């Protein structure tokens, strides 16, 4: 959130001094980084407790992830159309999910629970192969 505030202040200051095209690109870049680093990236995620209350067949593919984590980003992009099959839980938005993911993955993200099996920082192709 600090990045978002700092980006806004910088853009405001640059606008007062005469906005140049380079300033616009700098400001937009900073806003993108601020959003990517914020807990809001990826939208509001489901809560761990709510997901665990679901029947087992409805939670067979759960991914614990964090914004700005390069491996989580790689997994989100690498799964492509298959990512819609997963329940994505943002550990920055849910402290219970963060504790659970830390217990499962030893602090490494992303943590995938697929049909009861825990996989830490998987290769997206490995998960896609399981859907075939």
């Amino acid at each position: 959130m600090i990045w978002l505030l700092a980006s806004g202040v910088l853009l405001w200051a640059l606008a007062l001094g005469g906005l140049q095209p380079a300033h616009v690109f700098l400001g937009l870049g900073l806003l993108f980084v601020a959003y990517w680093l914020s807990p809001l990236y990826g939208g509001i995620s489901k809560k761990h407790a709510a997901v665990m209350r679901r029947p087992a067949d409805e939670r067979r593919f759960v991914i614990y992830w964090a914004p700005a984590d390069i491996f989580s980003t790689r997994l989100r992009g690498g799964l492509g159309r298959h990512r819609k099959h997963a329940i994505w839980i943002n550990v920055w938005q849910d402290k219970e999910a963060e504790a659970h993911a830390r217990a499962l993955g030893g602090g490494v993200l992303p943590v995938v629970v697929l049909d009861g099996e825990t996989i830490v920082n998987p290769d997206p192709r490995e998960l896609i192969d399981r859907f075939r």
Side-chain angles (χ1 to χ4, degrees):
M1 295 311 230
I2 297 292
W3 272 88
L4 193 58
L5 180 62
S7 299
V9 169
L10 179 64
L11 278 176
W12 177 73
L14 291 173
L16 289 178
L19 202 58
Q20 301 294 322
H23 297 150
V24 172
F25 288 116
L26 174 65
L28 290 175
L30 287 174
L31 284 173
F32 172 76
V33 169
Y35 175 69
W36 186 63
L37 292 174
S38 84
L40 301 176
Y41 176 71
I44 304 299
S45 83
K46 302 198 177 4
K47 299 294 183 195
H48 173 74
V51 171
M52 291 300 111
R53 285 192 297 268
R54 292 180 176 189
D57 64 322
E58 290 182 18
R59 56 181 164 90
R60 62 176 292 259
F61 187 22
V62 179
I63 300 174
Y64 297 90
W65 72 287
D69 174 63
I70 194 69
F71 301 110
S72 294
T73 302
R74 176 184 69 117
L75 183 62
R76 284 177 68 87
L79 285 177
R81 63 183 171 88
H82 297 285
R83 76 175 177 204
K84 69 180 178 208
H85 300 295
I87 298 172
W88 293 82
I89 300 177
N90 182 338
V91 299
W92 285 7
Q93 294 177 3
D94 184 352
K95 294 301 176 194
E96 185 180 346
E98 182 179 17
H100 185 71
R102 188 177 311 279
L104 291 175
V108 177
L109 289 175
V111 175
V112 176
V113 180
L114 181 59
D115 293 328
E117 178 187 352
T118 301
I119 311 164
V120 178
N121 192 14
D123 184 331
R125 293 172 294 202
E126 174 186 339
L127 297 177
I128 290 171
D129 289 343
R130 291 193 178 198
F131 285 110
R132 292 187 179 155

